[in-house]
Amino acid sequence: MDQIDLRVGDPAYADLTVRLESLCARLPGAGELNRAVGQLRGPLRVAVTGRFGTGRDTVAAALRRRFDVSPIGPGDDAEDADAWLHVLAGWPREDDVVALAALDPRRSLVLLGKSDSLGSWPAARVRAGECAGELGRPVIPLMAILAIADLGDEEIEMLAAMAAAGEQVPPMQATFIDAGGPGQRLGRMALLRRLDAYGIAVTIAVLGSGRCEAAELAELLMQRSGLDALADPLRGFAAAAPVVRLRRVAAELEIIAAQGVLRDGIEDLLSGSMLAAAAEEAFVWM
């Protein structure tokens, strides 16, 4: 499964990065500058936020699998993030409203995590629309669990047998677990942990249309996860990220130049380059 390329920067940006790295070699003690320049080449840094239990870790794992990005999960340092994805579960709560008020809407998205728990894509889209109306900004439904299923051959065989038998996934998990008899209880419990009930139903439907290998099945489930709806917004964030990153570098360079250290070289870098534009010009995201 190929990742969607979301690299940050263009040739001119890459050339400037080389010049800055050369300057940093002459300033080994300038820790903050070296840190800021070191982050210029990195992939898009996406902070995944949300209350505990919203599925934010699953979203972060799905992002890492599908996109050429560096997800920043809960507990990690998100200070230098290029963009934020805030994950809801169900209705927005007061904590969500407070968290979103602190995020720039031009650099953030709101996701309805665990949308599979609503039972269908139409229901998920309706709920996302209702959440959007309450928050005053778009909300994207996501079934991230489908994107990271990682089913093995034995699990696929079990699901294929269910598809061949025309088995339907009942609303009660205990009923599903018991349906295969004692010999399948552990396997069915593992499937619920891996896919949840909706994911099992989707996989059975996919396998009912014909046999497929693990890699092909993983791609089909990825397509049904809704994750690709994030591709265009993330491309916009990736295109805009150099401006914010260069602003951090320009600020550090100005501090060093003000101390009289390598002033001529720094002023040369700051004038007539992308650094100058990043530091001085208004920038419109997306």
Side-chain angles (χ1 to χ4, degrees):
M1 185 185 302
D2 295 332
Q3 285 188 319
I4 296 176
D5 188 354
L6 291 171
R7 296 174 190 169
V8 172
D10 57 24
Y13 177 79
D15 178 67
L16 177 59
T17 300
V18 171
R19 294 174 64 194
L20 286 165
E21 289 171 345
S22 178
L23 178 68
C24 284
R26 302 168 64 188
L27 296 166
E32 289 301 315
L33 174 63
N34 276 271
R35 179 170 178 265
V37 171
Q39 291 177 342
L40 290 177
R41 286 186 182 274
L44 186 72
R45 290 171 54 83
V46 182
V48 182
T49 63
R51 293 178 289 102
F52 177 78
T54 58
R56 59 194 184 184
D57 292 336
T58 303
V59 170
L63 282 175
R64 188 176 293 108
R65 173 162 301 188
R66 190 56 164 171
F67 302 106
D68 184 15
V69 300
S70 178
I72 306 169
D76 295 329
D77 183 9
E79 180 181 353
D80 296 327
D82 299 306
W84 282 262
L85 303 185
H86 186 79
V87 185
L88 306 174
W91 298 101
R93 298 185 184 179
E94 184 177 353
D95 289 349
D96 296 311
V97 174
V98 171
L100 288 169
L103 299 180
D104 186 340
R106 299 168 298 177
R107 297 174 60 189
S108 59
L109 299 173
V110 186
L111 309 179
L112 180 62
K114 295 187 175 182
S115 289
D116 54 286
S117 66
L118 297 169
S120 71
W121 270 109
R125 294 187 184 100
V126 168
R127 177 64 58 83
E130 293 168 344
C131 292
E134 187 169 332
L135 293 170
R137 58 179 299 179
V139 176
I140 301 173
L142 200 63
M143 299 184 183
I145 195 170
L146 297 181
I148 59 169
D150 288 333
L151 296 171
D153 292 340
E154 187 174 334
E155 291 167 314
I156 293 174
E157 288 292 340
M158 181 182 293
L159 288 162
M162 294 178 194
E167 183 170 343
Q168 302 293 313
V169 181
M172 298 296 291
Q173 290 190 357
T175 304
F176 172 76
I177 291 170
D178 292 337
Q184 287 192 1
R185 284 182 59 85
L186 291 178
R188 287 177 175 247
M189 290 172 65
L191 286 174
L192 281 169
R193 287 194 298 272
R194 192 73 60 86
L195 285 168
D196 215 343
Y198 180 76
I200 292 172
V202 168
T203 307
I204 288 175
V206 169
L207 293 173
S209 300
R211 186 178 182 84
C212 54
E213 300 299 322
E216 182 185 1
L217 179 59
E219 180 62 35
L220 290 170
L221 292 178
M222 175 70 77
Q223 293 171 8
R224 287 160 173 77
S225 72
L227 205 68
D228 284 356
L230 305 183
D232 284 344
L234 289 175
R235 286 190 183 99
F237 295 150
V243 173
V244 173
R245 294 183 181 192
L246 288 170
R247 281 177 178 164
R248 297 189 191 112
V249 172
E252 293 301 324
L253 287 173
E254 288 170 355
I255 293 171
I256 293 170
Q259 298 170 354
V261 178
L262 298 179
R263 178 174 292 173
D264 290 344
I266 290 174
E267 288 181 350
D268 180 59
L269 274 172
L270 287 173
S271 61
S273 71
M274 294 175 71
L275 277 170
E280 297 173 6
E281 294 179 10
F283 185 80
V284 179
W285 290 84
M286 304 296 283

